[in-house]
Structure formats: structure tokens, C-alpha cells
């Protein structure tokens, strides 16, 4: 297991922000992961687990403790059952399932980060969420002091949420298991309107899984959501804020604010989000509150391609990023009475 001291963490994040860790361990096996966690606990040392670094905002002072980078590898297909080691690159794994002619995660192509992070956030995009295909998650339970296997139901998945996120620091994901579908090389039914429109099909239709994947990659790239070292619009954590889910009464109040600000004909996006709940678009809110693409004149700005992405233009600090995030959050709250919630995990800082 590789060990470094006073180790830079910024290169391990897609934001390329944050100070150093007192100590950085890189684990390449599940046993090494568990051993590192137990060692930190025995010594009473703070522990930061890092996968692909695509959902982390680390403070400029860094992390006083042990950062554990999970670099485990393992991709196993048994028929339509897929098992991924936590350290596997997620986008590469999606590509391999499509090459195998399997459906279920093809619309999650291009999402940066590692496989082990996907159940934590219940990663989703373009009409798919990992919760619809995950069967089990193998994790080290720091409270119980043992490796456990959690069923899909035990993961308590909801929109961008899970049991793992509900209890941060308790579970360290080791393996994720999925049940995919053999649809003769076709995708799962296309659910997302933009994807269907781009493919020239109706919602609910199936297309070759490879076509669905390529279409999603093109859509994501057009929004700066596919990593490119030369493109500062991709120096981000993807969507910085989650789409707000409001009660029906809350949505009615919000709609009144929209009409007051934008006129009676203004219609914000609205999607069913369970009984008595409505989901609206964070990107729409941000734009209508006065924060368009490219907003900002400092080293941290809104992406020129997508209003939901806050970006490091190359010389930003974490404080620059957080100042922009707070400005956007407070501006949306003042305009529409809705408080946006950050999607990335913050380390050593708060929004």
C-alpha cells in the first residue's frame, strides 16, 4: 500500500482544488482498504475516503488526518450480473457493459468518478439511476467493525440519496453488484425527453445500447460534463446543486413567486417526485435568478455550457468556489424562496 505524507489532494479531485493531507494511503485491494480504515480508527486519526474525486470540495487548508484513496480493480460479468470493485472507473465500466450487449446503465455514460461512489449518491442522469439496477453493495461497516452485504432495499435509495449518505463515515464501499438486462443489444426503454428527441425516437422506445451511450456522451460533452483536461468547463463536480423537491404547498408558494417575478405566463419545470411532492429544475432557477452560463468575473465561474456546473477556471481556490456557490444559493433563495442544496461533499469547509 503506497503511503505519502503532506500529500497534495487537489490533483485527485475533478475541481483540482484543496490543500494537502497529512498522510495519503493508496489501497489496491479490499483487504488493504479495511486494514487502513481499522488502523486509522485504532489511532483515532480522522479518515477521508477518496474514490474518483468527482464529488469532493476540499478546503484550502487540506485535511489533517489520513486520506485513503481506493484504487481497487475488478470487473466481473456472470451472464447479466455485474460486480464492480469500488475503485473501478465508472465510465469505463459502463462502456464495457455496452460492449457486452447489456442494458441498464448505458445512459449513465461519461459520469466521472469511481464505481464505489455510485450507490452513495444514487447516481443518476438521462432517465436512469443506479438504484434501479443495483442488487447488493458490499461495504465495511465501521460501526459493526465488519464487512457487510446490503440489499437494494437496505441501501434506502432515494433521489441523490442513500443509507450511505444518510450515515456519512459509517460505510466504506468495497464492491457493487448490478443486475443488467440482455435485450439483444438494445438499450433499456429511453425515459429522458432530451435523449429521445436527440435519438429521434419516442419515450419508452429502445435503441441499440451503443447508440444510447454515444448520444448521452455527446449531450454531456455539450454541457461540459465529460472530463477534458483542456476544457475548464469540466473542472467541476458536474451538477453542483440538486434539483429541489418541494411539497405541493411549497410548489404553490414557489409558483406564486415565479409569476410575481417573471409574469403570469412563466412556467417552471415540474416533475412528479412521489406522493405530494414536485421536483423542479435547479438549472432553471439559477438562470432565472440572474446567473446565466459563464456568470462571474473571478477564477471560479459558472460553466459557459451549463448553469448547474460551478467551475475552476485554472487559478481558483476553494474559497473562490464557495463564494460563488453562496452567491448563487442566496440569489435563488431571494428570488424564488427555494434553498438549493449542494450535491458535492465538502471537506473542512461548509457552504
Amino acid at each position: 500500500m503506497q503511503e505519502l505524507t503532506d500529500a497534495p489532494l487537489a490533483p485527485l479531485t475533478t475541481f483540482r482544488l484543496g490543500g494537502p493531507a497529512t498522510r495519503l494511503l493508496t489501497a489496491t485491494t479490499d483487504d488493504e482498504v479495511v486494514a487502513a480504515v481499522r488502523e486509522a480508527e485504532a489511532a483515532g486519526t480522522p479518515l477521508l475516503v477518496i474514490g474518483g474525486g468527482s464529488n469532493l470540495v476540499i478546503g484550502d487548508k487540506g485535511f489533517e488526518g489520513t486520506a485513503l484513496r481506493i484504487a481497487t480493480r475488478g470487473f466481473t460479468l456472470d451472464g447479466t450480473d455485474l460486480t464492480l470493485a469500488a475503485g473501478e472507473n465508472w465510465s469505463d465500466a459502463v462502456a464495457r457493459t455496452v460492449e457486452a450487449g447489456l442494458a441498464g446503465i448505458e445512459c449513465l455514460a461519461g459520469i466521472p468518478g469511481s464505481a464505489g461512489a455510485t450507490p452513495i449518491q444514487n447516481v443518476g442522469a438521462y432517465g436512469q439511476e443506479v438504484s434501479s439496477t443495483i442488487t447488493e453493495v458490499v461495504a465495511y461497516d465501521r460501526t459493526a467493525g465488519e464487512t457487510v452485504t446490503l440489499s437494494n432495499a437496505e441501501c434506502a435509495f432515494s433521489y441523490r440519496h442513500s443509507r450511505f449518505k444518510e450515515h456519512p463515515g459509517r460505510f466504506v464501499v468495497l464492491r457493487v453488484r448490478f443486475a443488467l438486462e440482455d435485450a439483444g443489444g438494445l438499450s433499456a426503454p429511453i425515459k429522458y425527453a432530451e435523449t429521445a428527441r436527440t435519438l429521434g425516437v419516442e419515450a419508452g422506445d429502445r435503441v441499440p445500447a451503443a447508440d444510447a451511450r454515444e448520444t448521452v456522451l455527446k449531450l454531456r460533452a455539450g454541457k461540459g460534463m465529460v472530463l477534458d483536461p483542456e476544457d475548464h468547463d469540466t473542472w467541476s463536480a458536474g451538477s453542483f446543486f440538486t434539483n429541489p423537491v418541494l411539497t405541493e404547498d411549497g410548489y404553490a408558494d414557489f409558483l406564486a413567486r415565479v409569476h410575481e417575478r417573471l409574469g403570469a405566463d412563466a412556467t417552471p419545470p415540474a416533475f412528479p417526485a412521489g406522493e405530494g411532492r414536485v421536483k423542479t429544475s435547479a438549472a432553471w432557477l439559477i438562470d432565472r435568478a440572474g446567473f446565466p452560463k459563464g456568470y462571474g468575473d473571478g477564477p471560479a465561474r459558472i460553466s459557459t455550457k451549463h448553469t448547474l456546473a460551478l467551475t475552476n477556471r485554472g487559478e481558483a481556490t476553494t474559497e473562490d468556489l464557495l463564494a460563488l456557490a453562496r452567491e448563487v444559493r442566496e440569489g435563488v433563495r431571494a428570488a424564488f424562496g427555494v434553498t438549493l442544496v449542494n450535491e458535492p461533499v465538502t471537506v473542512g469547509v461548509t457552504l
Side-chain angles (χ1 to χ4, degrees), residues 34-75:
V34 172
V37 173
R38 286 176 170 168
E39 177 192 298
E41 289 177 337
T45 304
L47 180 69
L48 171 64
V49 178
I50 299 177
S54 60
N55 204 45
L56 279 180
V57 177
I58 299 174
D60 293 317
K61 293 183 179 179
F63 182 71
E64 293 187 11
T66 296
L68 172 61
R69 178 171 172 258
I70 298 182
T72 53
R73 293 292 178 265
F75 177 103

Side-chain angles (χ1 to χ4, degrees), residues 201-288:
V201 300
E202 297 295 324
D205 288 348
R206 294 177 184 261
V207 299
D211 290 355
R213 174 180 174 271
E214 287 301 321
T215 296
V216 166
L217 286 173
K218 289 177 183 177
L219 289 171
R220 291 184 64 86
K223 299 172 183 177
M225 297 291 185
V226 177
L227 293 180
D228 179 352
E230 303 303 316
D231 183 0
H232 285 283
D233 277 331
T234 73
W235 289 32
S236 75
S239 299
F240 194 88
F241 296 104
T242 59
N243 290 323
V245 177
L246 309 173
T247 64
E248 290 182 349
D249 287 344
Y251 184 78
D253 292 341
F254 160 62
L255 197 57
R257 296 281 290 266
V258 169
H259 292 161
E260 179 182 350
R261 180 181 177 89
L262 303 176
D265 293 334
T267 306
F271 311 94
E275 187 175 352
R277 294 184 176 275
V278 180
K279 180 167 67 175
T280 191
S281 166
W284 189 93
L285 288 167
I286 292 167
D287 183 68
R288 300 312 191 279

Side-chain angles (χ1 to χ4, degrees), residues 3-82:
E3 178 177 349
L4 298 172
T5 57
D6 195 27
L9 294 181
L12 302 182
T13 74
T14 52
F15 265 125
R16 294 168 172 81
L17 294 176
T22 307
R23 181 175 179 235
L24 172 65
L25 300 177
T26 300
T28 58
T29 69
D30 290 353
D31 287 344
E32 287 182 350
V33 172
V34 172
V37 173
R38 286 176 170 168
E39 177 192 298
E41 289 177 337
T45 304
L47 180 69
L48 171 64
V49 178
I50 299 177
S54 60
N55 204 45
L56 279 180
V57 177
I58 299 174
D60 293 317
K61 293 183 179 179
F63 182 71
E64 293 187 11
T66 296
L68 172 61
R69 178 171 172 258
I70 298 182
T72 53
R73 293 292 178 265
F75 177 103
T76 304
L77 263 180
D78 182 6
T80 57
D81 294 330
L82 171 67

